[in-house]
Amino acid sequence: MTNIEATPSAKPKVKKTQSKQVSETKDQKSDLAHDLPYPHLNSVARDLMKESDAVRIRAIRQGSWLPLPHAKEAIERMEMLLDYPPVTRMPSLLLVGASFSGKSTILERFLSLHPPDVDPASEIMTCPVVMIDAPPRPDIADFYSRILDAIMAKYQSRAASYEKYSQIKLMFRQLGVKMLIIDEIHHLIAGSLNRQREFRNALKSLSNETKVCLVAAGIDEAYNAFNADPQMSSRFIPLKLPSWRTDQNTGILLATLQKRIPVKYPSDLDSPESLLTIVNRAEGSLGDIFDLVKEVAVAAIQSGEEKLSLKLIKGIDWVPPSRRKNYRPPL
Amino acid sequence: MARFHQDLWPIRYKPLEDELLSSWLVRLAHGHGLKVQSFCNMLYGNKRQIWNRDIDRLAPQWLLDDLKLHTGATQMQAEQTTLRIFDGVLVKHYREAGPLQWIQLMQMYHRKREGYGQQFCPICLQEDKVSYFRKTWRLAIKTMCLKHNCMLMDRCPQCDSAVSYHRIGMGQPNHVEFDPLSTCHECSFDLRAASAKPVKVYNEEAFDWLRRVVSDIDDFSAGKSVKIDLKEVSLFHHMTAMVSKERNRYHLGQHVADMVGADDYVPINTNRVALESYQCHVRNQYMQFAAWLLVDPQVRLHQACRARAIRHNFLLRDMKDPPAWYEDCVNNRIATRARPFFERRHKINLDSRADEIDLTY
Ligand SMILES: [Zn+2]
Ligand SMILES: [Zn+2]
């Protein structure tokens, strides 16, 4: 599980008043925080301090949803696209960010908000959002196969591209597909300029003929590849995700995290040296920053140290993402 | 993250009322944008050939189980698509090859359906939201559509091809939206545009009797609880076969034709052709004649014997397990009246419309 989520307040407006009340009570509590134990924690974490180690560890592992403004914005933009009426040129979104900046997590989160219907009693699956990884090279037949796989369609893998394409159009219409998410879109750069152009044309036709919105996500190079084509750059509105380097952004993130981790003593998370160590070990990946911090927090409780010390951060046995198999189950 | 149900197909149509397995399978394939042969090859490989056999009759269990799994259809829905449901109802000993009582033969030859075993009502196809083929349209006992009061058809009116909706799109690539199942695979004529012929009624009473038989079978095939007595339908089959053929100098069919004033009776003069492969309007006539005899058997059968239209001992010959009342009627030549064809329906009548029918059997 990854632990980035849209902030709850990004959810329906109706609930806003309710959550406001909650935060007010929290604020009142924090006014009294000087008299309370664990002033370095927020009220939720402070409440957790009454619990056993096991409960605290469980709470840490479960992860608390951290409202990240960029994730919230991306998801809101995607919701807007999903509601878009069919027009001649469907608007599209290009999510740009460094590797491990949390793009995939946002996309998966959005997908999970719009799951396909799995009711065996229905005659046709409704599937508003389809998500694929772009093929490693701009190979159109492979691209179509991935789409057909994602909607669990039966097809002949050796069939000609145009047959697969026709099948996609038929299936998209039947399943009510409204949005196609293509992650790792920068893979298209792996081909010749001709191939890249073909691939972009395939994207355009697909969007024009099926009236699905496209959401593409990739690293900066994807942005350049798209901009080479004025038709694409006018259609794809870019949204840049922040990167997680040794900068203020990450510092604020860690400081926020620190308040949420129920350990007895104030931690070193916001020290420049911790920041550097964490960013390096997690290789700038947002998901991995969370992961690493969680493991350090668990170790802090288990060892009795009760503090996310620099020593722990440096010493913990943890595999960086680059050495993990980049595994994502198929849709 | 919510995952797709691992086994469910995105297109998971359920069988429609009285739909045949083959019709269901072709619709599923077309829904996926595939020809049914490609669809089945993809799923079951080349080893499990489906379309060179009469799958509605064979209906292998593995196929039913697989479709059930992927479409979310219930056991009941899947089982109901096969002609096996007529085992012990219209058919004495259901088997995979050879003739079956009251079930039309397909005579498959390399995926081609040589026999005109698949009938249809053009108006039913027309009224369907999605055209599909019914189980009852494979039954020899069903020659007319009760809903539309017309004869069934068994071939394309434009090119005379037998109905083979599983061959729609053959020679075309897999892509597209395939033509509806009502399309002639050979000449693309839309069977929905065929003009249905009215049923020729030879005798009102006999016709009503036949209508009730067909209506019970329609209900049974649609999954309603109707009790159909195999002995009675077998007797009806026996009687229909008898009026269809001339035996030596005995002309039972011609005798009935004379009695009801039919001038278009032609017997089938060979023993090798089964009732199940007669043309639809021919079968309909023979069945009306047989029905005429069975409406008042103790009078009409003995009358036929006296007229030397049939030899008395032919009435029971070749009948392995006749209904007891019939045996009585033939052997004792006493005045027994035909028992109701399907007892249950008469019981319903007895409850609801007791004043309308004569109960003194
Ligand atoms: Zn009809
Ligand atoms: Zn034809």
Side-chain angles (χ1 to χ4, degrees):
Chain A
M1 265 307 279
T2 34
N3 34 11
I4 163 180
E5 276 282 326
T7 156
S9 64
K11 300 283 281 180
K13 292 242 155 70
V14 203
K15 292 216 167 153
K16 210 153 192 182
T17 42
Q18 211 183 0
S19 60
K20 205 171 180 186
Q21 280 169 355
V22 174
S23 61
E24 268 167 20
T25 43
K26 271 185 199 167
D27 288 344
Q28 282 163 7
K29 269 191 191 169
S30 59
D31 283 341
L32 304 167
H34 305 293
D35 304 328
L36 290 169
Y38 315 118
H40 59 288
L41 298 180
N42 72 8
S43 60
V44 179
R46 201 178 301 130
D47 285 347
L48 273 169
M49 289 310 293
K50 295 176 201 134
E51 306 291 340
S52 67
D53 289 1
V55 172
R56 281 193 289 153
I57 288 172
R58 211 177 125 79
I60 289 167
R61 289 233 157 100
Q62 270 181 347
S64 54
W65 305 132
L66 192 66
L68 291 167
H70 69 273
K72 190 183 140 189
E73 190 192 343
I75 288 193
E76 276 172 358
R77 294 267 289 270
M78 287 166 81
E79 290 289 357
M80 233 166 62
L81 284 185
L82 194 62
D83 267 348
Y84 215 87
V87 291
T88 317
R89 295 181 55 194
M90 295 301 288
S92 298
L93 181 66
L94 180 63
L95 219 53
V96 189
S99 304
F100 305 109
S101 58
K103 295 186 298 291
S104 304
T105 319
I106 293 171
L107 300 178
E108 270 158 15
R109 166 70 182 155
F110 185 77
L111 185 64
S112 73
L113 292 172
H114 303 279
D117 113 71
V118 288
D119 177 10
S122 67
E123 293 258 303
I124 294 180
M125 171 175 80
T126 43
C127 180
V129 180
V130 173
M131 177 165 160
I132 60 159
D133 279 349
R137 266 177 297 277
D139 174 342
I140 293 172
D142 187 2
F143 172 61
Y144 291 153
S145 298
R146 283 160 184 258
I147 295 176
L148 289 169
D149 282 334
I151 53 180
M152 313 253 300
K154 300 282 154 208
Y155 68 98
Q156 284 174 313
S157 45
R158 280 176 304 168
S161 284
Y162 73 90
E163 288 190 32
K164 290 180 185 169
Y165 181 52
S166 309
Q167 213 183 341
I168 289 171
K169 286 195 284 185
L170 174 74
M171 296 296 280
F172 271 21
R173 203 180 57 232
Q174 293 198 86
L175 309 187
V177 176
K178 289 193 199 145
M179 178 183 283
L180 174 65
I181 300 175
I182 310 163
D183 200 0
E184 318 280 349
I185 193 72
H186 46 268
H187 285 167
L188 85 91
I189 304 158
S192 67
L193 287 177
N194 264 343
R195 279 298 192 88
Q196 290 187 30
R197 196 178 55 238
E198 271 173 31
F199 197 85
R200 283 193 301 254
N201 287 340
L203 286 181
K204 270 185 276 187
S205 320
L206 183 65
S207 168
N208 287 344
E209 291 176 31
T210 62
K211 301 296 172 214
V212 298
C213 297
L214 300 178
V215 171
I219 56 176
D220 289 339
E221 282 83 345
Y223 182 68
N224 300 332
F226 269 54
N227 261 352
D229 181 341
Q231 274 198 46
M232 291 303 262
S233 57
S234 65
R235 188 180 303 211
F236 278 85
I237 302 151
L239 178 66
K240 188 115 175 63
L241 297 182
S243 52
W244 304 99
R245 306 187 197 289
T246 48
D247 59 10
Q248 204 189 359
N249 243 340
T250 318
I252 294 169
L253 173 77
L254 290 176
T256 317
L257 267 181
Q258 178 161 271
K259 283 190 187 157
R260 297 174 168 236
I261 295 169
V263 286
K264 282 182 190 148
Y265 310 112
S267 300
D268 296 335
L269 278 190
D270 49 352
S271 77
E273 214 183 337
S274 298
L275 176 67
L276 183 66
T277 314
I278 289 171
V279 168
N280 280 343
R281 291 205 66 181
E283 298 176 359
S285 150
L286 182 63
D288 291 316
I289 291 175
F290 283 136
D291 247 23
L292 174 60
V293 170
K294 273 184 187 180
E295 286 316 304
V296 173
V298 170
I301 294 174
Q302 281 169 343
S303 65
E305 195 177 335
E306 292 289 345
K307 169 184 170 147
L308 283 69
S309 65
L310 183 59
K311 202 179 97 212
L312 260 183
I313 295 167
K314 281 184 168 167
I316 193 154
D317 183 22
W318 187 78
V319 185
S322 58
R323 281 200 224 129
R324 289 182 213 158
K325 197 156 181 268
N326 190 9
Y327 172 73
R328 185 197 295 162
L331 235 182
Chain B
M1 191 184 89
R3 294 279 181 80
F4 290 175
H5 190 297
Q6 288 299 312
D7 297 316
L8 287 175
W9 286 334
I11 304 295
R12 38 180 186 265
Y13 306 143
K14 311 297 183 286
L16 297 163
E17 185 175 285
D18 194 33
E19 183 166 20
L20 275 167
L21 175 58
S22 56
S23 169
W24 181 31
L25 194 45
V26 173
R27 281 199 305 118
L28 282 167
H30 290 187
H32 283 88
L34 294 166
K35 280 179 285 193
V36 76
Q37 291 81 6
S38 316
F39 189 64
C40 291
N41 276 348
M42 216 172 281
L43 294 168
Y44 311 123
N46 279 321
K47 280 189 192 146
R48 283 175 156 177
Q49 280 290 336
I50 291 178
W51 295 101
N52 53 1
R53 312 286 293 274
D54 181 350
I55 67 155
D56 296 312
R57 174 170 170 179
L58 239 56
Q61 192 58 46
W62 61 263
L63 179 61
L64 294 180
D65 288 345
D66 197 65
L67 292 178
K68 212 174 61 192
L69 178 72
H70 295 307
T71 62
T74 62
Q75 176 86 16
M76 177 75 177
Q77 280 175 314
E79 308 278 341
Q80 272 288 314
T81 60
T82 89
L83 296 174
R84 277 178 199 280
I85 66 154
F86 298 112
D87 185 13
V89 176
L90 296 179
V91 181
K92 270 175 248 173
H93 305 291
Y94 199 92
R95 56 195 186 282
E96 297 196 342
L100 291 184
Q101 175 172 289
W102 287 130
I103 292 189
Q104 303 260 91
L105 281 178
M106 279 309 204
Q107 288 161 333
M108 303 297 293
Y109 180 76
H110 287 292
R111 286 186 187 171
K112 279 176 95 157
R113 293 177 165 188
E114 299 284 338
Y116 293 99
Q118 180 67 66
Q119 312 173 93
F120 62 93
C121 164
I123 311 177
C124 280
L125 289 177
Q126 232 174 72
E127 289 181 357
D128 285 342
K129 229 160 91 191
V130 180
S131 299
Y132 71 99
F133 285 79
R134 278 79 163 162
K135 294 198 295 293
T136 50
W137 292 350
R138 281 290 311 273
L139 302 179
I141 204 168
K142 176 138 171 161
T143 50
M144 53 194 183
C145 175
L146 299 187
K147 192 174 169 199
H148 301 110
N149 258 317
C150 63
M151 294 296 292
L152 297 185
M153 303 176 81
D154 63 0
R155 64 198 66 197
C156 167
Q158 186 166 282
C159 75
D160 268 356
S161 293
V163 176
S164 310
Y165 42 80
H166 68 288
R167 301 181 73 207
I168 292 172
M170 271 179 114
Q172 258 173 273
N174 278 313
H175 49 144
V176 273
E177 295 173 46
F178 289 96
D179 293 327
L181 267 61
S182 57
T183 313
C184 172
H185 68 282
E186 196 64 49
C187 74
S188 295
F189 180 82
D190 194 336
L191 300 176
R192 290 177 293 190
S195 52
K197 293 194 177 58
V199 188
K200 185 164 183 184
V201 179
Y202 293 93
N203 171 278
E204 286 293 344
E205 208 185 353
F207 182 71
D208 278 352
W209 190 94
L210 181 59
R211 270 189 73 96
R212 287 204 305 271
V213 173
V214 174
S215 160
D216 274 359
I217 289 167
D218 281 348
D219 285 351
F220 173 81
S221 193
K224 292 173 193 151
S225 74
V226 181
K227 198 177 167 338
I228 290 173
D229 189 335
L230 180 61
K231 285 185 183 180
E232 302 285 344
V233 282
S234 300
L235 170 65
F236 185 42
H237 189 269
H238 179 70
M239 203 59 74
T240 307
M242 277 203 300
V243 296
S244 74
K245 282 170 189 154
E246 292 179 331
R247 290 196 189 214
N248 305 325
R249 49 203 172 76
Y250 298 101
H251 310 286
L252 183 60
Q254 190 55 57
H255 167 75
V256 180
D258 294 343
M259 299 301 285
V260 301
D263 54 7
D264 55 352
Y265 168 76
V266 180
I268 301 281
N269 276 321
T270 165
N271 272 325
R272 268 173 295 164
V273 182
L275 173 57
E276 284 72 18
S277 51
Y278 297 170
Q279 287 200 29
C280 192
H281 69 274
V282 177
R283 249 182 299 124
N284 184 270
Q285 184 191 52
Y286 296 161
M287 286 197 292
Q288 286 196 46
F289 286 10
W292 183 82
L293 288 164
L294 289 172
V295 163
D296 198 358
Q298 89 285 11
V299 172
R300 291 177 181 167
L301 289 177
H302 294 304
Q303 194 181 42
C305 289
R306 280 198 302 278
R308 300 201 175 277
I310 184 102
R311 253 173 69 183
H312 184 262
N313 64 344
F314 282 176
L315 290 174
L316 278 170
R317 205 156 92 181
D318 304 332
M319 278 218 76
K320 286 196 187 84
D321 194 13
W325 69 262
Y326 178 71
E327 217 169 354
D328 263 11
C329 170
V330 174
N331 287 338
N332 304 325
R333 306 190 184 202
I334 53 164
T336 20
R337 297 235 359 220
R339 285 248 309 278
F341 192 82
F342 301 123
E343 235 168 338
R344 195 178 171 286
R345 209 220 20 267
H346 281 254
K347 273 179 190 149
I348 293 168
N349 284 345
L350 188 140
D351 295 339
S352 59
R353 301 187 300 152
D355 50 336
E356 285 177 36
I357 52 162
D358 180 12
L359 294 170
T360 54
Y361 288 100

